[in-house]
Amino acid sequence: MTTLKDTGAPPGTAENSAPLPRPAATPMARALNQALRDAMSADASVHVLGEDVGALGGVFRVTDGLAAEFGEDRCTDTPLAEAGILGTAVGMAMYGLRPVVEMQFDAFAYPAFEQVVSHVAKMRNRTRGALPLPLVVRMPYGGGIGGVEHHSDSSEAYYMATPGLHVVTPATVADAYGLLRAAIASDDPVVFLEPKRLYWSKDAWSPAAPDAVPPIGRAVVRRPGRDATLLTYGPSLPVCMAAAEEAVRADGWDLEVVDLRSLVPFDDETVCASVRRTGRAVVVHESSGFGGPGAEIAARVTERCFHHLAAPVLRVTGFDVPYPPPLLEHHHLPGAERVLDAVARLQWEQG
């Protein structure tokens, strides 16, 4: 695998004297596009494939311009056949390539789930380590865009429950770039969940000097606090940040917000350190509550932090129903009000 040259010289030194552009307001979709472009430039074994990723540039334009720059052999439009797309990518990875598959929408990936479970997740183990599978499955997920059924699912629990996969989801522009580059470089298969309602959210970010981010497997405290911890990821991070700010104004609660970033591997260290400090925790995500990610997270926190907890770990989730029609999705999705209602139920009278 070829890599970009690193002189070791910091920006602005004699060896690297060109002034760096100032960070500008950049949407997440642009950072993901840049991550793919940089990975393909750095390594000729990186190939992008999926429905409409070429000429159209993807439904959300994340692959825009890649086919024109790298050719259709490396950014390839495929038939509408998810199982075939992923099966082809498995073969590509077995023969030394680094395929990046785009599943057009979260629920469109279900026909390929057998490939994920039977082959993607198990190939390294089946071959006793002889065949790692450096494969990334990019998947727009979650609601909030007015999409109909099969266009707004949060299916992360299925992948979290499949040993052999890494499962990550960015919530910031910097993480979108950094985590995708890390996923493509990984020799383990990565399910890369992209919160579609954050595609056009913007942060100050420069493609010429992308911010360094923690690796896969590490959570980040986005807002320090002392009274309770909000554990969240992906599209629910802005909701929790807004709830934390409202909690200070309305009730005087100082809430810590932890962005999990990586669902597998899971960062027990950062999560438990936060909960042990605050003594209370709420898990927030769009996926259904029953058997959802929050159930596993709450169990892990309870097992490891039981004697530090002043109240049971609560969950704020999507309802246990198929995704509703667009006009009803605002009732289904966790909002700041539901988060604050859960915080209010954390047995403060015992504090």
Side-chain angles (χ1 to χ4, degrees):
M1 181 177 69
T2 58
T3 57
L4 295 176
K5 181 181 178 182
D6 182 3
T7 65
T13 63
E15 290 189 62
N16 190 1
S17 57
L20 294 175
R22 292 183 178 180
T26 303
M28 179 180 286
R30 171 74 173 86
L32 292 166
N33 177 273
Q34 191 66 45
L36 291 169
R37 176 172 281 103
D38 290 350
M40 295 174 79
S41 297
D43 185 351
S45 70
V46 177
H47 288 243
V48 172
L49 64 157
E51 298 164 5
D52 295 321
V53 299
L56 181 64
V59 170
F60 298 99
R61 303 300 185 267
V62 173
T63 58
D64 188 39
L66 299 182
E69 184 171 346
F70 297 99
E72 295 181 358
D73 287 343
R74 292 189 62 200
C75 183
T76 307
D77 282 325
T78 66
L80 306 182
E82 286 78 11
I85 297 168
L86 198 50
T88 299
V90 169
M92 294 169 67
M94 290 173 66
Y95 279 87
L97 299 179
R98 290 183 174 269
V100 181
V101 172
E102 178 180 301
M103 294 293 171
Q104 202 167 71
F105 285 90
D106 29 55
F108 289 12
Y110 298 148
F113 192 65
E114 191 277 333
Q115 290 283 346
V116 173
V117 174
S118 297
H119 303 297
V120 175
K122 293 182 172 63
M123 189 62 66
R124 182 191 282 271
N125 184 70
R126 179 182 297 143
T127 61
R128 298 185 180 182
L131 277 179
L133 215 64
L135 188 158
V136 177
V137 183
R138 290 184 42 248
M139 197 178 302
Y141 83 116
I145 64 165
V148 295
E149 185 184 78
H150 294 113
H151 292 73
S152 300
D153 280 14
S154 294
S155 49
E156 57 267 32
Y158 304 141
Y159 304 103
M160 291 172 65
T162 304
L165 302 175
H166 287 181
V167 183
V168 302
T169 176
T172 68
V173 171
D175 264 355
Y177 179 89
L179 285 176
L180 185 53
R181 289 299 305 272
I184 295 170
S186 174
D187 285 336
D188 290 305
V190 180
V191 175
F192 193 89
L193 299 167
E194 300 171 3
K196 63 174 75 74
R197 66 165 152 162
L198 298 186
Y199 271 141
W200 307 114
S201 63
K202 295 181 179 181
D203 289 330
W205 184 82
S206 171
D211 301 326
V213 300
I216 292 172
R218 301 301 298 180
V220 170
V221 176
R222 298 292 183 192
R223 184 189 189 280
R226 64 176 183 275
D227 295 328
T229 298
L230 303 181
L231 301 170
T232 191
Y233 56 87
S236 295
L237 177 63
V239 173
C240 288
M241 295 294 284
E245 294 305 316
E246 177 60 24
V248 173
R249 291 192 296 269
D251 299 290
W253 294 321
D254 187 15
L255 305 181
E256 183 150 298
V257 179
V258 177
D259 178 4
L260 299 176
R261 304 172 69 252
S262 176
L263 302 177
V264 181
F266 189 82
D267 186 358
D268 289 300
E269 180 181 357
T270 300
V271 167
C272 291
S274 175
V275 175
R276 287 168 185 156
R277 283 195 304 272
T278 66
R280 294 175 170 85
V282 177
V283 187
V284 183
H285 58 66
E286 290 187 11
S287 184
S288 300
F290 188 86
E296 173 64 24
I297 295 167
R300 299 179 80 88
V301 169
T302 301
E303 289 169 354
R304 292 161 174 79
C305 306
F306 182 80
H307 294 290
H308 298 265
L309 290 171
V313 179
L314 300 182
R315 291 174 289 165
V316 179
T317 72
F319 298 122
D320 297 330
V321 298
Y323 199 84
L327 292 180
L328 298 177
E329 70 174 354
H330 66 285
H331 296 294
H332 176 76
L333 297 173
E337 184 176 348
R338 285 176 59 194
V339 174
L340 292 175
D341 178 67
V343 172
R345 292 186 284 115
L346 288 174
Q347 300 182 3
W348 296 98
E349 67 277 4
Q350 297 180 15

